[in-house]
Amino acid sequence: MALPGDVAGVLARWNPQGAALLDAVRNPGAGSRVLLIGPDDANTTLLRTELARFEPRVEFAEVTDSAAEFGAAALPGATPVALVLLDAGSVIGADTLGVLARARAGGVRTLLAMNGIHAFADWRQIRDRNLEVLAPRGFELEILPVSARLAAAARTGGDAALLDRSGVGALHAALAAAVSGAAGFGADARAALVARVLAETRERIAAQVRTLRSGSEIARLREERAGLIAGRDGGRATAMSALRGQLHLARVDLVTEVGGQVRALHVAARAELDRLAPAEFADHPRRLQATVTELTGVVDHSIDRRFAELVDRLGAADIDATTAPHRRRDPAPRVGPEPEPRHRGVEDHLMIALGASAGVGLGRLLVSPLALVPALDVASIPVTLLLGALVAWWVVRARRQVADRAHIRQWMSEALVNVKAQLEQRVATALVEAETEWADRVVRTSAAKIVACDRVVAELETRIRRAAAEQPGQLAACERDIATIDRFD
């Protein structure tokens, strides 16, 4: 049964797979079963099940996945046909190439199908690579992408567009054309097939008419536009809030860590000062400066480590912080000028007097036995004075060492307070610089997103206006196509 040109045009526009199927069975010939070469697994079984739902039904021989079992003798019928299933996730192998070579040598018509495209996002690249492998070997074959699971989902949901995307209908039409119609598929069966294809096409057009009249497509576009406008800032507010929160936590942790390290340094320095001999007091500021320089390196390492953690956290928050920010490497804080010499005061003079008095008293106590001898009484006076002078010297020396140690301890406390302030400023400066750089990245990224969002919104507005303007014409065209099918029926 030949279709009029206007009806064929309607089928080509609305149901190209149905039109291809009618072309395949228009000139029926001797029927033939198809040998299916592929893995005998659930995907292959599901593909055979979905193909069996189409008319005319294509008969398959036993499934084989062994290239050694393939041969022209395995294909009954006058027109041998083989369907070879390829893996959608890997390039064609040597075994499959051997099967194709033997099929070509035996005059077997071979169709290639890539099953399971729903599971591999890069199936198009795999298909192109397969074609590149086949071309130098003289195989001018088309690889049909199919997904039996998408076909099953389309059948369950009644989604004709999804069924077209599954490719199962196109594969069935290609198989029907390859076998030149099923055996015994006569005029009545062909008429029934034409009626089914026309009814299916009419239902597709009617579904489009319902969609146009309901305005659901325009409503969907407007809803999509509203969602884009609501998030037009490109996530800048959320990103900046997350950035500031993370930096504030880093500042608190680092300042607390600096305070603890400076306190530990103070305790260690005081213990070292207590163990120093008086002759080593002058070298203590140099040692303290070396310790502060080492502590500065530890603080810088803590800042770098914290920045590395922030890179991971901000990256998880979708903030462009793939690298740590650049920061200045200032010299280590100085402990300040050398401590000034301690000036003697009233306490020092008082200690001299007290030392002399204690020394004279001690001397009198020591030489008191000599006073019992009248001849030695006068001789005890120089001894008493000498002992008094020695004790006074010792007391004054001890007092000076204690005062010098206390003087250096006070200087050290004030110097470490200044060092702590400089280290905290070092942390704050690094974090401010990081916030400035990362905030600039956020602004640039969000600006690019805003531009892209505005572009998409403009495209949606254009589509909305075009859909509203073209809706009457599309409805009229759909009604004309329905009338064309109804007139033929």
Side-chain angles (χ1 to χ4, degrees):
M1 179 186 296
L3 297 176
D6 55 350
V7 177
V10 172
L11 292 180
R13 287 194 301 273
W14 291 98
N15 194 358
Q17 294 180 1
L21 181 60
L22 293 180
D23 291 338
V25 302
R26 182 169 299 159
N27 299 312
S32 171
R33 290 197 304 170
V34 177
L35 178 65
L36 182 59
I37 302 176
D40 191 6
D41 56 10
N43 286 331
T44 302
T45 302
L46 182 59
L47 179 61
R48 293 185 63 181
T49 302
E50 292 301 323
L51 286 172
R53 301 180 185 278
F54 289 83
E55 292 292 341
R57 186 167 181 175
V58 177
E59 297 293 335
F60 288 98
E62 294 297 326
V63 179
T64 176
D65 58 357
S66 173
E69 298 177 6
F70 176 76
L75 292 168
T79 310
V81 177
L83 173 62
V84 179
L85 297 182
L86 304 178
D87 186 4
S90 61
V91 181
I92 191 170
D95 291 342
T96 305
L97 291 175
V99 169
L100 297 178
R102 286 193 292 274
R104 180 170 59 183
V108 178
R109 183 171 181 179
T110 306
L111 283 79
L112 298 179
M114 180 182 288
N115 191 19
I117 60 174
H118 64 278
F120 301 95
D122 60 341
W123 65 267
R124 293 179 179 83
Q125 289 80 0
I126 299 297
R127 181 185 59 182
D128 295 340
R129 178 58 182 156
N130 286 335
L131 293 175
E132 292 176 358
V133 173
L134 293 172
R137 294 169 173 81
F139 294 107
E140 297 181 357
L141 299 175
E142 180 183 3
I143 300 177
L144 299 176
V146 295
S147 173
R149 294 189 182 276
L150 289 182
R155 176 174 46 81
T156 302
D159 191 343
L162 183 59
L163 180 61
D164 291 341
R165 290 200 300 271
S166 71
V168 176
L171 177 60
H172 174 264
L175 289 172
V179 299
S180 298
F185 196 75
D188 294 339
R190 288 195 299 275
L193 177 61
V194 170
R196 183 177 66 82
V197 172
L198 290 176
E200 184 180 287
T201 304
R202 191 183 191 286
E203 177 57 29
R204 292 191 178 192
I205 301 173
Q208 181 65 19
V209 169
R210 291 192 295 269
T211 300
L212 291 173
R213 288 178 177 173
S214 65
S216 59
E217 180 65 19
I218 296 178
R220 184 188 65 80
L221 293 175
R222 287 175 177 170
E223 183 178 357
E224 184 178 354
R225 180 187 62 181
L228 289 173
I229 292 176
R232 183 180 176 276
D233 68 338
R236 178 186 299 180
T238 303
M240 292 298 293
S241 177
L243 175 62
R244 292 194 178 98
Q246 292 294 334
L247 289 175
H248 180 69
L249 290 175
R251 180 179 291 106
V252 172
D253 292 344
L254 288 173
V255 169
T256 302
E257 185 176 349
V258 167
Q261 291 172 342
V262 171
R263 284 192 295 273
L265 172 61
H266 192 185
V267 172
R270 289 184 61 179
E272 181 185 3
L273 179 61
D274 293 338
R275 292 192 298 268
L276 289 180
E280 298 175 334
F281 284 172
D283 193 47
H284 185 67
R286 184 187 61 79
R287 297 182 181 180
L288 182 62
Q289 180 62 59
T291 307
V292 169
T293 302
E294 182 179 354
L295 176 61
T296 303
V298 174
V299 172
D300 286 339
H301 178 70
S302 299
I303 295 174
D304 294 336
R305 174 178 50 81
R306 190 69 180 190
F307 280 172
E309 296 175 358
L310 284 175
V311 167
D312 296 335
R313 295 180 183 178
L314 296 177
D318 196 20
I319 298 177
D320 183 15
T322 54
T323 58
H326 304 286
R327 67 184 189 91
R328 294 179 302 175
R329 298 286 180 174
D330 295 330
R334 307 300 301 175
V335 296
E338 299 289 333
E340 297 181 358
R342 186 179 62 85
H343 301 285
R344 293 186 179 183
V346 178
E347 294 180 356
D348 295 284
H349 299 296
L350 179 61
M351 291 304 300
I352 293 174
L354 292 176
S357 175
V360 171
L362 181 61
R364 293 287 297 174
L365 179 64
L366 292 176
V367 300
S368 57
L370 299 178
L372 299 176
V373 181
L376 299 177
D377 186 21
V378 178
S380 65
I381 295 176
V383 175
T384 300
L385 295 177
L386 178 61
L387 290 176
L390 290 175
V391 172
W393 171 82
W394 180 83
V395 170
V396 172
R397 178 176 175 272
R399 164 61 185 170
R400 183 170 61 251
Q401 293 178 1
V402 171
D404 289 343
R405 198 183 302 272
H407 179 66
I408 295 178
R409 184 181 294 114
Q410 179 65 27
W411 169 84
M412 180 180 64
S413 300
E414 296 174 354
L416 289 182
V417 168
N418 184 38
V419 167
K420 180 175 180 292
Q422 293 185 57
L423 290 178
E424 291 177 348
Q425 182 182 6
R426 192 184 193 89
V427 170
T429 301
L431 291 174
V432 168
E433 291 176 349
E435 181 178 1
T436 301
E437 183 172 340
W438 276 335
D440 182 64
R441 296 183 189 178
V442 170
V443 170
R444 291 199 305 269
T445 303
S446 60
K449 292 181 179 179
I450 290 173
V451 172
C453 179
D454 290 342
R455 185 182 301 112
V456 175
V457 168
E459 293 175 356
L460 288 176
E461 291 176 348
T462 302
R463 291 173 59 186
I464 291 172
R465 290 193 298 268
R466 183 185 299 118
E470 294 177 353
Q471 183 175 1
Q474 291 176 349
L475 283 172
C478 292
E479 292 172 354
R480 285 195 303 269
D481 291 341
I482 292 177
T484 300
I485 294 177
D486 291 341
R487 283 196 305 270
F488 179 75
D489 289 343

